Amino acid sequence: MPRLAHLYFKTAIIFLIIGLCIGLHMAISQDHAATPAHAHANLLGWVTMAIFGTYYALNPAKAERRLALIQYYVYTSSIAVLVPSLYLMVTGRPEIEPIVAAASIVAFIGVILFAVLIFTSSETTREPAALRSR
């Protein structure tokens, strides 16, 4: 399995743990204000990153591309900022909203980069044209 797939699975499980902790806190405290942060940790963190990891495991040539690693860092850093800032915002810190908005835009860019990887060739390098014509 490609290193990037492992990295995505490891990161996904961390977000699952975070999402479960938020959920447990809400259940114990009977305060469900953090539901949006809980949902984002689980869906954008755990589920989406596990899907990314699965895609790279099934398409190892794409995982070798430099853009794939850039996509990992862009997306992961955005979710690492989005979840805690969203948690703070929905639990009484509305001034954090610009950070939530910026992190959301960066997450969107990470998804666009993933789409570019899906819709482009899996070749990591191209042969010179002279070699292809032989």
Side-chain angles (χ1 to χ4, degrees):
M1 187 178 327
R3 178 181 167 269
L4 185 57
H6 277 284
L7 198 54
Y8 259 122
F9 287 131
K10 289 176 181 178
T11 307
I13 201 72
I14 290 169
F15 278 104
L16 175 61
I17 292 166
I18 292 167
L20 288 171
C21 287
I22 295 170
L24 285 170
H25 180 266
M26 289 189 306
I28 292 166
S29 69
Q30 294 297 305
D31 179 2
H32 295 89
T35 299
H38 169 70
H40 280 72
N42 286 319
L43 293 175
L44 296 181
W46 162 239
V47 175
T48 303
M49 289 187 183
I51 291 170
F52 289 166
T54 301
Y55 180 82
Y56 288 126
L58 296 173
N59 297 279
K62 299 246 181 153
E64 301 295 323
R65 295 180 64 186
R66 179 172 162 77
L67 183 59
L69 192 58
I70 292 169
Q71 185 270 333
Y72 168 81
Y73 285 115
V74 168
Y75 186 79
T76 302
S77 64
S78 71
I79 303 307
V81 171
L82 177 63
V83 170
S85 62
L86 182 59
Y87 180 89
L88 291 172
M89 185 183 85
V90 298
T91 58
R93 303 275 312 271
E95 68 274 11
I96 301 288
E97 189 171 9
I99 296 170
V100 174
S104 298
I105 291 167
V106 175
F108 180 71
I109 291 168
V111 171
I112 294 298
L113 291 174
F114 186 71
V116 168
L117 285 157
I118 287 177
F119 288 107
T120 58
S121 171
S122 62
E123 296 176 19
T124 55
T125 57
R126 297 196 81 109
E127 289 181 76
L131 294 177
R132 284 192 300 240
S133 63
R134 290 185 186 175

